[in-house]
Amino acid sequence: MDIALNNEAPHTSVVPSGEGRFVDDYLLYLMARASHAISAEFHATLRRAGIQVPVWRVLASLSGSTTGETVTGLAEACLLQQPTMTKLLDRMVRDGLVKRMPDARDRRVVRIAMTPRGEATVRDLLVSAKAHEAELLSRFPDIGANRLKELLRSMAARPARGRRREAA
Amino acid sequence: MDIALNNEAPHTSVVPSGEGRFVDDYLLYLMARASHAISAEFHATLRRAGIQVPVWRVLASLSGSTTGETVTGLAEACLLQQPTMTKLLDRMVRDGLVKRMPDARDRRVVRIAMTPRGEATVRDLLVSAKAHEAELLSRFPDIGANRLKELLRSMAARPARGRRREAA
DNA sequence: TCATGACACATGAAATTTCATAAGCTAACC
DNA sequence: GGTTAGCTTATGAAATTTCATGTGTCATGA
């Protein structure tokens, strides 16, 4: 049960007053804060490379995809709205990182694929990302990486259950 | 140490092609995705109450604080930039949710405190938030809530920044 | 074949966020 | 005592995001 975690002050105290703020024990906040903090570490690398965070997310989501991704699919993957993704892709096309291609079966669909320039850009970043992840996990030797990842995946899965769609 | 997690498909497949995208096993992405997903559940409640997400974050961060928070402190707590917070507070002051007060010791500092209207607004939301958190944790009975929270707190703690704790 | 509804992406105006910087204070030092 | 550097908040222009909606395509069925 015991794991040797950092035993710093339990709350980093933005608040001097009350000994415990609500948010400092609120799971959603702790998740957002942890995610933000560890992402910020990598964002420094992106900054040095002159790559914006959403651009990196798109490139990372595209990496490995041969057929290309749809706009809506990318939006979901990057946790953005669809119109936001359309405009982000406009910029990335302009910068030569990705290209839009027609879908073979469905003419509504636009498939997004990386250009050689996009691939070259993402290649180095992927190396950095993997290195950072390894370093990060090494900071917490007592947690099982796969176990943690499984938990996160299940958290991201459909909340569903309970009220689905209201009867029309 | 086995835990019975949801055994859904390992990746929700935004990508039909490659059997495993990089991002689907990338810790930073999984954290962001999990955080986004569980937050989205609560955001539905906020939507119903007509409260914007950043407004909720400010109110939640203020709840319990007697002396009030500084603008910069709130910005950090809410994972926003300081100018963003200033403008957000402008709107919240306009809507009567918070007020700006001078700091007793330092005239540079502006202390932000909730108005009665702000307190009333946050009260119900806090109840909902706690209920949601309890329901959420009940979905994962095999993880220790406190253990998970400790892990998240340590992840959010200052990482590198040169060396660790230098006794000052 | 023609409705009809749903889907996928784009677009435009409005709201928000960011970046760089300004203005007001404080603290430290010479 | 008067710089000088640093800290806290505010501001304005530019970039981005969002919301609502438009356009074109697909799918179903009468």
Side-chain angles (χ1 to χ4, degrees):
Chain A
M1 237 266 232
D2 294 358
I3 55 179
L5 292 172
N6 262 331
N7 262 10
E8 320 258 18
H11 39 271
T12 332
S13 96
V14 182
V15 174
S17 52
E19 51 180 284
R21 288 186 301 180
F22 162 71
V23 291
D24 286 317
D25 193 52
Y26 180 45
L27 182 59
L28 268 57
Y29 175 75
L30 295 174
M31 283 283 297
R33 190 159 182 73
S35 175
H36 186 269
I38 63 178
S39 289
E41 298 176 25
F42 185 64
H43 294 174
T45 300
L46 292 178
R47 200 152 198 46
R48 258 175 263 124
I51 301 292
Q52 290 185 331
V53 174
V55 171
W56 151 247
R57 290 199 182 131
V58 171
L59 293 178
S61 297
L62 284 173
S63 85
S65 168
T66 53
T67 56
E69 296 284 341
T70 69
V71 175
T72 301
L74 279 175
E76 283 173 14
C78 297
L79 313 175
L80 298 173
Q81 309 289 102
Q82 174 266 311
T84 305
M85 182 54 67
T86 289
K87 291 180 212 303
L88 173 56
L89 291 172
D90 287 346
R91 281 172 256 147
M92 292 180 69
V93 168
R94 180 200 63 196
D95 296 342
L97 295 171
V98 298
K99 58 191 167 191
R100 279 185 237 247
M101 320 185 71
D103 183 86
R105 313 203 165 281
D106 189 334
R107 273 186 298 176
R108 291 172 300 182
V109 171
V110 172
R111 296 226 156 252
I112 308 296
M114 279 191 283
T115 61
R117 188 162 188 284
E119 308 240 26
T121 302
V122 82
R123 191 173 306 123
D124 299 333
L125 292 174
L126 282 174
V127 173
S128 300
K130 284 168 183 161
H132 173 245
E133 179 181 40
E135 188 277 318
L136 178 58
L137 285 170
S138 77
R139 270 185 243 160
F140 306 100
D142 295 310
I143 63 163
N146 290 328
R147 188 166 173 279
L148 174 60
K149 286 179 177 179
E150 264 318 306
L151 173 63
L152 294 173
R153 271 190 276 264
S154 63
M155 278 184 157
R158 298 264 171 235
R161 129 173 165 184
R163 49 174 187 73
R164 269 306 184 84
R165 68 201 225 103
E166 318 283 2
Chain B
M1 286 301 166
D2 293 359
I3 55 178
L5 291 172
N6 262 331
N7 261 10
E8 318 255 21
H11 39 271
T12 331
S13 97
V14 182
V15 174
S17 53
E19 51 180 285
R21 288 185 302 180
F22 162 71
V23 290
D24 286 317
D25 194 51
Y26 181 44
L27 182 59
L28 268 57
Y29 175 74
L30 294 175
M31 283 283 296
R33 190 159 182 73
S35 176
H36 186 268
I38 63 178
S39 290
E41 298 176 24
F42 185 65
H43 294 174
T45 300
L46 292 178
R47 200 153 200 49
R48 258 176 261 126
I51 300 294
Q52 290 185 333
V53 174
V55 170
W56 152 247
R57 289 200 182 129
V58 171
L59 293 178
S61 296
L62 284 173
S63 85
S65 167
T66 52
T67 55
E69 296 284 340
T70 70
V71 175
T72 300
L74 278 175
E76 283 173 14
C78 298
L79 313 175
L80 298 173
Q81 309 287 98
Q82 174 267 311
T84 305
M85 182 54 67
T86 290
K87 292 179 203 326
L88 173 57
L89 291 172
D90 287 346
R91 283 172 256 147
M92 291 180 70
V93 168
R94 180 201 62 196
D95 297 341
L97 294 171
V98 298
K99 59 191 167 190
R100 280 186 235 247
M101 319 185 70
D103 184 86
R105 314 203 163 279
D106 188 335
R107 274 187 296 177
R108 292 172 299 183
V109 170
V110 172
R111 296 225 156 252
I112 307 296
M114 280 192 281
T115 61
R117 187 162 188 284
E119 308 240 26
T121 301
V122 82
R123 192 173 306 124
D124 299 333
L125 291 174
L126 283 174
V127 173
S128 300
K130 285 168 184 161
H132 173 245
E133 180 181 38
E135 189 277 320
L136 179 59
L137 286 170
S138 77
R139 269 185 244 161
F140 308 99
D142 295 309
I143 63 163
N146 290 328
R147 189 164 174 280
L148 175 60
K149 287 180 176 179
E150 263 319 306
L151 173 63
L152 294 173
R153 272 191 275 264
S154 64
M155 278 184 158
R158 288 270 169 231
R161 194 156 96 160
R163 297 129 265 184
R164 273 318 194 81
R165 48 191 163 132
E166 296 273 15

